Amino acid sequence: MTGVQTCALPILLFDLANAVGGFVVGTGDLSEAAMGWMTYGGDHLSQYHVNAGIPKTLVRALVEHLAAASGAPELEAVLADIVATPISPELLPPTADGAAPSQHSEASVGPYELVDFFLYHLVRLGETPGRVTYLGELAFGGAHDRATILRWMRVFVRRFTANQFKRSAMPNAPIVDIRFQKCQPRPGR
C-alpha cells in the first residue's frame, strides 16, 4: 500500500500547487537518487529537487548544525528528533507506543556514510573499487571492516547501475560541487 500512497501524493501536491500558483519541491537527496531509493512516478516527481545535489550525510550535518545554531530550544529539540529518527521510506508515523517504522533504508542500501563515500570516490572521482576499499578501511578506522565495505560496495554498484532510469527522469536540481575552483571570467567580459 505504501507504493500506492507514494504515487498518489504527487498528484495531490501538483493539484494543490496548481490551485495556489505554486510549484512542487522535491526533497530527495543525492544519496537517495544514487541508490534509486524512491518510487518511480511517485516521490521522485516534483518540479525542482532542492536536495538532489547533496548527499544524505551532508543533509544530516546541516540539520544538526541548524539545531545547534538555532537558539530556539523547541526547534533544536524537533531537529534533534529528526536526526535521531532512523531513515525510512515508510510514510506511516510511529505507532502509538512510539515504535519506529519497521523498514529502515540503511538495512537495504547500507550505512549512508558508506553510500556517500562510494558515491564520491567511485562515481565523482572514478577511483577503482580496490582503491576505494583501501581508502574506506583507512577512513572508517575499524568502524567498517573490509568485508562490510565490500558487501555494501557491491550493493551500491548494483543499485546505482539498475536505477539510472529513475535519475534520468528526475526534474532539475542544483549541482553542488565540493571542489573549490577559481572563477574564470567569460570571454569578452
Side-chain angles (χ1 to χ4, degrees):
M1 184 63 173
T2 302
V4 173
Q5 290 173 315
T6 304
C7 289
L9 184 58
I11 295 169
L12 296 172
L13 292 174
F14 279 105
D15 188 48
L16 178 61
N18 187 49
V20 299
F23 63 96
V24 178
V25 176
T27 60
D29 57 51
L30 183 61
S31 308
E32 292 170 353
M35 302 307 289
W37 204 244
M38 61 190 88
T39 301
Y40 185 75
D43 58 346
H44 95 292
L45 292 178
S46 69
Q47 291 162 310
Y48 193 75
H49 267 246
V50 294
N51 295 332
I54 57 175
K56 187 167 295 299
T57 51
L58 181 55
V59 172
R60 275 186 182 162
L62 290 171
V63 172
E64 288 172 347
H65 173 75
L66 288 172
S70 72
E74 289 180 9
L75 177 59
E76 184 176 345
V78 169
L79 294 175
D81 186 51
I82 289 170
V83 170
T85 302
I87 300 164
S88 173
E90 291 195 23
L91 298 175
L92 302 174
T95 59
D97 64 357
S102 61
Q103 185 181 14
H104 302 291
S105 299
E106 291 178 303
S108 298
V109 300
Y112 275 107
E113 62 187 9
L114 288 178
V115 169
D116 293 348
F117 187 80
F118 301 147
L119 187 58
Y120 181 73
H121 287 281
L122 287 172
V123 179
R124 179 73 176 93
L125 298 181
E127 293 174 341
T128 65
R131 177 153 173 79
V132 174
T133 302
Y134 169 74
L135 292 172
E137 289 176 300
L138 292 176
F140 295 106
H144 302 295
D145 63 15
R146 182 179 189 82
T148 301
I149 292 168
L150 289 171
R151 173 186 175 216
W152 291 118
M153 189 183 318
R154 282 190 288 276
V155 170
F156 176 86
V157 170
R158 180 178 46 81
R159 290 188 66 101
F160 183 82
T161 305
N163 288 289
Q164 176 59 40
F165 74 99
K166 291 181 181 180
R167 291 187 300 279
S168 295
M170 285 178 62
N172 290 334
I175 296 173
V176 179
D177 191 345
I178 64 168
R179 297 176 301 163
F180 293 100
Q181 298 176 349
K182 183 178 178 183
C183 293
Q184 298 292 327
R186 292 184 185 174
R189 290 193 176 190

